[in-house]
Amino acid sequence: MPHSKPPAEDPALAATPPAPEVGLDDGGQDHSPPGVVVTSGPLTPSPDSEGTEIDDRAFHHSVAEDVQGMVLATLTASLGLAVFAKGGLMIGGMAGVAFLTHYAFGWNFGLMFVLVNLPFYWLSVRRMGWEFTLKTFAAVAACGVLTDLLPRWAPYAQVTPLYSALVGGALVGMGILFFIRHHASLGGVGILAVYLQRAHGISAGRVQMSFDAMLMVVACFTLAPMQVLYSALGAVVLSLVLMFNHRPHRYMGV
């Protein structure tokens, strides 16, 4: 019986390149082509038929996780603010506005920090929801109180302006980062920055830095030039912490 010849291969199919491999292999190597966002792999659950519901459940914070995160964020940010105050410097955002009123008029920093943030809660409720707003209000109030109390609980004689700018800026930046990752902020410009990042993909760090630059110009009328210079350095450190550590799609916690 004569052998039948196999059907000739379609030249069009033969010329078609194989589909690119997408995703992570067992070793964690990404084989996806440029522009493809990997939503699952060996260490992450794959999305279900409805989209990313499984991913949302996997990355959602429990109440206990939120509580410890908020406490840690409050301790870190308030310590940074206290370091700024001890060095005679100010910081960006509405905390900077509160510092300016404190230095210029002697008003209580914690109280002013709460008051200057009040107008932003309307935007927070409308755009970010009640959970974000209530957490942010608690964060602002707690940080304001702790910043005033820390010098009494842990007094120290002197802090150089350079140390105040570098360490204070880094601590406040990390505190804000913790707050954002637990669906909160330190109010004011932070609310606006988080909203713009979520809605339009604009870096929260860049928004913060732009406002801080304008605030430093105003500070020139209240503080000595070297105080403003070191304060600007601290604001840059804070913004860099956010820019390098808080980017869209990098962290999925809500």
Side-chain angles (χ1 to χ4, degrees):
M1 181 176 180
H3 295 285
S4 59
K5 294 182 179 181
E9 186 176 4
D10 190 342
L13 295 177
T16 302
E21 186 177 359
V22 177
L24 305 178
D25 59 21
D26 293 335
Q29 183 68 32
D30 187 3
H31 296 283
S32 305
V36 174
V37 178
V38 179
T39 59
S40 63
L43 301 180
T44 58
S46 58
D48 61 8
S49 58
E50 296 298 324
T52 58
E53 182 179 351
I54 295 179
D55 283 340
D56 290 341
R57 290 197 301 267
F59 289 104
H60 190 80
H61 291 133
S62 67
V63 174
E65 290 171 336
D66 268 341
V67 170
Q68 66 83 30
M70 293 286 289
V71 170
L72 180 61
T74 300
L75 294 175
T76 305
S78 60
L79 179 59
L81 292 172
V83 170
F84 263 95
K86 188 63 178 180
L89 307 182
M90 58 169 285
I91 202 168
M94 301 314 293
V97 176
F99 269 129
L100 278 180
T101 59
H102 172 68
Y103 292 142
F105 307 108
W107 296 343
N108 179 269
F109 168 81
L111 177 61
M112 292 307 303
F113 189 34
V114 173
L115 293 179
V116 296
N117 275 293
L118 291 179
F120 291 90
Y121 292 127
W122 176 82
L123 173 64
S124 178
V125 171
R126 288 179 58 88
R127 298 296 185 181
M128 309 302 294
W130 278 104
E131 178 187 354
F132 179 90
T133 303
L134 293 176
K135 286 182 178 180
T136 297
F137 181 82
V140 169
C143 283
V145 171
L146 279 180
T147 301
D148 288 336
L149 292 178
L150 278 175
R152 306 176 191 176
W153 292 349
Y156 36 87
Q158 184 180 3
V159 174
T160 64
L162 180 60
Y163 178 90
S164 179
L166 296 178
V167 177
L171 287 172
V172 176
M174 288 188 293
I176 293 176
L177 181 65
F178 297 157
F179 279 128
I180 291 175
R181 289 183 172 180
H182 288 273
H183 200 49
S185 77
L186 270 185
V189 181
I191 294 175
L192 181 62
V194 173
Y195 164 70
L196 290 176
Q197 175 152 306
R198 291 186 175 184
H200 304 289
I202 302 174
S203 169
R206 289 189 175 90
V207 174
Q208 190 84 41
M209 186 176 291
S210 299
F211 180 86
D212 293 346
M214 294 185 291
L215 189 62
M216 293 304 162
V217 174
V218 177
C220 293
F221 297 96
T222 303
L223 303 179
M226 288 305 297
Q227 285 179 291
V228 176
L229 181 62
Y230 281 116
S231 297
L233 175 61
V236 170
V237 172
L238 184 158
S239 297
L240 289 176
V241 169
L242 294 180
M243 290 174 64
F244 284 122
N245 295 281
H246 186 63
R247 300 180 185 179
H249 313 302
R250 173 166 289 186
Y251 185 83
M252 301 299 295
V254 293

